[in-house]
Amino acid sequence: MNNAINVIGGGLAGVEAAWQAAERGAKVRLYEMRPVRQTPAHRTDKLAEIVCSNSLKTDEPGSAPYLLKEELRRGGSMVLEVAHATRVPAGAALSVDRVKFAEMITERVEAHPNIEVVREEVTSIGWSADTPVRMSAKNEHGLAGGTGDADKSVRAPTIIATGPLTSDALTADIMRVTGDDQLYFYDAIAPIVAADSIDMSVAFKAARYDKGGNDYINCPMDRERYELFVAELLEAKSVPLKRFEDTHWFESCLPIEEIARRGPETLRFGPMKPKGLRHPKSGEEPYACLQLRQENMMADAYGMVGFQNHLRYGEQERILKLIPGLEKAEFLQFGQIHRNTFINSPTILNETLSTRKDPNLFFAGQITGVEGYVESVATGWLAGINAVRVLRDQPMITAPQRSAIGALCRYVSNVETKNFQPVNITFGLIQELPPELRKQYRKKRERHVFQVELALKDWNEFMTELKRGDEEIVK
């Protein structure tokens, strides 16, 4: 092969795309702008740095997130393999030591003989929607095209996986190429506290409904303390947003102060719900409860589950110390806010994740409108495979209709565009069972378990065919 595949962005989707392409023999240039240029949320120069929660969500068999993970595991996902190698206790969830996770992925990617990591900012993808597929060997913006002269070389497949924190310059060029207005929503990061600063004479260890052992630290609240906390939270000063922008919060990641504004009891039915958490001494559920999840293998840092916010740092420290057990908390990280960018994918992408106007241009990760770490990995997995197939003049693949990956790609490429919003994987996206089977499996849990079984059967057949095709190409 004379061309290299370009992958722009070294996040979860980008590294997975690069890995899948490289493992199939393609040469890959992986562009990452850090540390040359940092983002508002990242702190290091490591690939696949996780900036929000360290949880990759539930891995409980029979759930939609489990199905998505299992498809990737069976598909040879490097990111999922590293996630298991750096796993920390988190009940039924798959959570990782974010530092070791990023370090291990960076080491593997940089050591791969088919991947060249380029540390520079890409400000333009180098062509417009009307540019012919044939172009010069290297365009003026530094992205590799092909070999040979300007008239005969073919544009190299390019995957844009720059994530929700795409730089302003590249965002503007993406808008130019796609011909669509920018979409965005605000996302927030939860605080992290030092483990030895938590008062364990007040807090207690347990997992909700005893799933996974005593993996969480729980800070119980009675009614009086809860009402005081909510009152102070509503009066707290927030970091101001830009005056000229509307605020579009992502519903699955609302700041705690925004949740509280929806009613005094909303936190008790959201991130502070006490259901399934019984105090080991009294045996009773508290009125409200904050959960803290282990952040690393050293177990010296715990993240406040669901407590993302955009309060001023001084206000965060004052108000969060009202929570029983956190009166003397040492904050290793305060909550933050950043703007997430995504494209209007249903008007731009095919189910293969290639663009409708150009089969050599792909998008993957959160910029496509999937929300979640594993969802981003899944789109990177498919885009990386299809970029190689384009390079080899093979037909691109789509994931099975009943699969979780197929459901995500179908959503971002076909959903109604009037109010396109990012999504996590749910059974609401996955192809329903036919009526006769829905009657047979009336209980939701049983129905979901059966759906997962069917989906994985299809997935095994799909992977067998895909591996057979890859082996034939190698021969």
Side-chain angles (χ1 to χ4, degrees):
M1 293 178 294
N2 294 322
N3 289 350
I5 291 171
N6 298 309
V7 179
I8 309 175
L12 295 171
V15 296
E16 186 67 46
W19 188 268
Q20 293 303 322
E23 285 289 278
R24 287 164 171 78
K27 297 295 183 181
V28 180
R29 292 184 184 90
L30 176 60
Y31 292 84
E32 170 53 53
M33 70 179 184
R34 292 176 295 117
V36 176
R37 181 173 178 179
Q38 285 288 3
T39 73
H42 289 87
R43 294 185 171 189
T44 75
D45 63 351
K46 301 301 181 185
L47 301 175
E49 179 186 348
I50 292 177
V51 298
C52 294
S53 166
N54 69 323
S55 174
L56 278 62
K57 297 183 180 173
T58 184
D59 201 14
E60 187 174 3
S63 67
Y66 164 82
L67 174 60
L68 184 62
K69 293 180 182 69
E70 188 61 20
E71 289 171 6
L72 287 168
R73 283 187 282 253
R74 298 184 187 193
S77 166
M78 181 270 293
V79 173
L80 263 291
E81 182 180 335
V82 173
H84 282 278
T86 58
R87 186 171 192 164
V88 297
L94 173 59
S95 296
V96 301
D97 180 321
R98 67 178 76 217
V99 174
K100 294 185 181 298
F101 175 78
E103 288 177 345
M104 187 177 292
I105 286 179
T106 302
E107 290 171 3
R108 289 194 179 190
V109 170
E110 290 182 339
H112 200 292
N114 287 341
I115 301 176
E116 175 191 2
V117 179
V118 183
R119 296 285 186 166
E120 63 183 54
E121 180 185 2
V122 174
T123 59
S124 171
I125 57 178
W127 65 84
S128 69
D130 299 324
T131 302
V133 172
R134 298 187 179 277
M135 65 180 290
S136 60
K138 193 172 183 181
N139 64 50
E140 61 181 309
H141 306 283
L143 293 186
T147 57
D149 59 56
D151 293 327
K152 294 182 179 180
S153 61
V154 178
R155 178 190 303 154
T158 295
I159 302 170
I160 300 176
T162 45
L165 299 174
T166 301
S167 68
D168 291 342
L170 186 56
T171 296
D173 198 59
I174 290 170
M175 291 170 63
R176 176 184 64 81
V177 171
T178 61
D180 198 74
D181 291 336
Q182 179 183 355
L183 300 173
Y184 62 89
F185 63 95
Y186 283 98
D187 202 359
I189 299 171
I192 298 174
V193 301
D196 59 6
S197 69
I198 303 169
D199 185 354
M200 293 306 298
S201 68
V202 176
F204 63 93
K205 287 192 171 184
R208 203 177 299 278
Y209 299 108
D210 296 322
K211 290 184 177 180
N214 298 331
D215 293 342
Y216 291 81
I217 293 177
N218 302 275
C219 298
M221 274 187 172
D222 59 22
R223 181 167 186 165
E224 182 179 0
R225 184 66 70 92
Y226 173 80
E227 290 177 348
L228 171 63
F229 174 79
V230 171
E232 291 294 325
L233 181 62
L234 291 173
E235 293 296 323
K237 295 179 180 179
S238 299
V239 176
L241 303 176
K242 293 181 180 180
R243 291 180 301 168
F244 55 85
E245 293 175 341
D246 294 327
T247 307
H248 302 293
W249 296 112
F250 180 49
E251 288 295 319
S252 295
C253 200
L254 283 173
I256 55 172
E257 63 272 23
E258 297 298 325
I259 297 174
R261 290 190 183 102
R262 298 185 176 188
E265 296 291 294
T266 50
L267 283 171
R268 289 187 62 238
F269 290 89
M272 300 187 76
K273 64 182 178 183
K275 286 293 184 181
L277 294 171
R278 296 190 179 278
H279 199 288
K281 293 181 180 179
S282 67
E284 297 179 354
E285 291 180 353
Y287 186 77
C289 193
L290 163 70
Q291 285 199 302
L292 296 137
R293 179 175 52 231
Q294 186 175 325
E295 282 284 324
N296 55 28
M297 291 180 174
M298 295 289 290
D300 59 1
Y302 277 75
M304 302 176 73
V305 178
F307 257 54
Q308 54 276 352
N309 68 84
H310 64 118
L311 302 177
R312 296 181 184 275
Y313 287 176
E315 291 286 74
Q316 287 189 51
E317 184 167 16
R318 178 180 68 84
I319 292 170
L320 296 179
K321 284 186 174 182
L322 294 174
I323 298 172
L326 298 185
E327 291 88 348
K328 297 181 180 180
E330 176 190 349
F331 291 89
L332 305 178
Q333 171 183 292
F334 285 108
Q336 301 175 39
I337 180 174
H338 56 270
R339 195 174 86 169
N340 287 356
T341 303
F342 60 97
I343 62 173
N344 194 6
S345 291
T347 66
I348 298 167
L349 298 183
N350 297 308
E351 284 190 44
T352 59
L353 300 179
S354 63
T355 59
R356 295 180 182 180
K357 292 183 177 180
D358 187 342
N360 284 41
L361 179 60
F362 296 81
F363 283 85
Q366 283 185 266
I367 197 169
T368 67
V370 296
E371 174 61 23
Y373 300 139
V374 183
E375 288 84 344
S376 295
V377 173
T379 55
W381 182 89
L382 186 66
I385 293 172
N386 275 333
V388 175
R389 297 180 76 86
V390 166
L391 200 61
R392 292 171 172 165
D393 292 324
Q394 290 179 283
M396 286 184 273
I397 60 170
T398 57
Q401 289 294 298
R402 284 195 289 214
S403 69
I405 295 178
L408 285 169
C409 294
R410 187 166 59 249
Y411 173 85
V412 299
S413 60
N414 290 296
V415 75
E416 171 62 45
T417 61
K418 186 176 181 180
N419 187 30
F420 178 57
Q421 290 293 314
V423 295
N424 300 109
I425 188 63
T426 66
F427 280 108
L429 297 181
I430 298 172
Q431 189 178 70
E432 287 189 356
L433 295 174
E436 61 273 15
L437 287 176
R438 288 203 300 272
K439 291 180 180 178
Q440 183 178 345
Y441 296 93
R442 294 184 180 277
K443 292 183 178 180
K444 183 185 293 185
R445 173 65 181 170
E446 293 178 354
R447 187 164 63 249
H448 287 170
V449 168
F450 185 66
Q451 280 184 274
V452 169
E453 291 176 358
L454 288 179
L456 290 178
K457 180 181 178 182
D458 289 353
W459 188 258
N460 287 341
E461 295 174 357
F462 168 72
M463 287 305 306
T464 298
E465 290 298 317
L466 182 60
K467 289 178 180 177
R468 184 181 294 121
D470 289 339
E471 289 169 358
E472 289 175 357
I473 289 294
V474 172
K475 291 178 183 178

